[in-house]
């Protein structure tokens, strides 16, 4: 039973940086076997893909809108997922969610909301112009 909690959201000016964290509320020895992702959602809109990372040792994937500015990473020993956001823009304003899907030993990653099975509660990121 994986439960996720996001932290690190806040208010920043355009061009600033912020790091989001996503941790499992109950530690699991199999965290390394979950594909993880970050999504964001504005009111009235569907969740938008931001970044994904494969199970431990796997590669990463980014939405075009954040490529070169955001970095997704993980620390399986800490049951943690991170999103480093640099050169933030007003259009980055949204509630950011982390998602997880157990994949075992398969080398999979997911870029659509429906492919994830577990979500955190979200953390608000507001970027002013």
């Amino acid at each position: 039973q994986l439960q996720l909690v996001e932290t690190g959201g806040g208010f920043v000016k355009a061009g600033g940086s912020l790091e989001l964290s996503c941790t499992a509320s109950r530690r699991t020895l199999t965290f390394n076997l979950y594909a993880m992702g970050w999504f964001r959602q504005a009111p009235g809109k569907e969740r938008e893909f931001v970044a994904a990372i494969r199970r431990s040792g796997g590669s990463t994937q980014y939405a075009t809108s954040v490529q070169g500015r955001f970095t997704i990473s993980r620390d399986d020993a800490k049951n943690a997922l991170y999103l480093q956001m640099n050169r933030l823009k007003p259009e980055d304003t949204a509630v950011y969610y982390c998602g997880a899907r157990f994949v075992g030993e398969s080398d999979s990653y997911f870029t659509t909301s429906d492919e994830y099975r577990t979500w955190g509660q979200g953390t608000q990121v507001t970027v002013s112009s």
Side-chain angles (χ1 to χ4, degrees), residues 57-108:
S59 60
T60 58
Q61 187 71 39
Y62 298 92
T64 301
S65 59
V66 306
Q67 182 75 42
R69 298 189 297 120
F70 291 9
T71 301
I72 186 172
S73 62
R74 64 193 297 162
D75 186 333
D76 294 324
K78 296 180 179 179
N79 280 199
L81 177 75
Y82 306 100
L83 184 68
Q84 178 64 50
M85 305 183 292
N86 299 321
R87 293 185 285 120
L88 284 162
K89 305 174 181 180
E91 50 262 45
D92 294 320
T93 295
V95 176
Y96 283 70
Y97 299 89
C98 63
R101 179 171 177 175
F102 184 82
V103 297
E105 297 295 332
S106 65
D107 190 21
S108 302

Side-chain angles (χ1 to χ4, degrees), residues 40-43 48 90-96 123-127:
R40 62 190 182 187
Q41 186 171 23
E48 174 190 16
E91 50 262 45
D92 294 320
T93 295
V95 176
Y96 283 70
T123 185
Q124 177 72 49
V125 172
T126 302
V127 184

Side-chain angles (χ1 to χ4, degrees), residues 103-120:
V103 297
E105 297 295 332
S106 65
D107 190 21
S108 302
Y109 71 96
F110 309 98
T111 59
T112 62
S113 178
D114 290 346
E115 293 176 302
Y116 289 85
R117 299 290 180 266
T118 303
W119 297 95

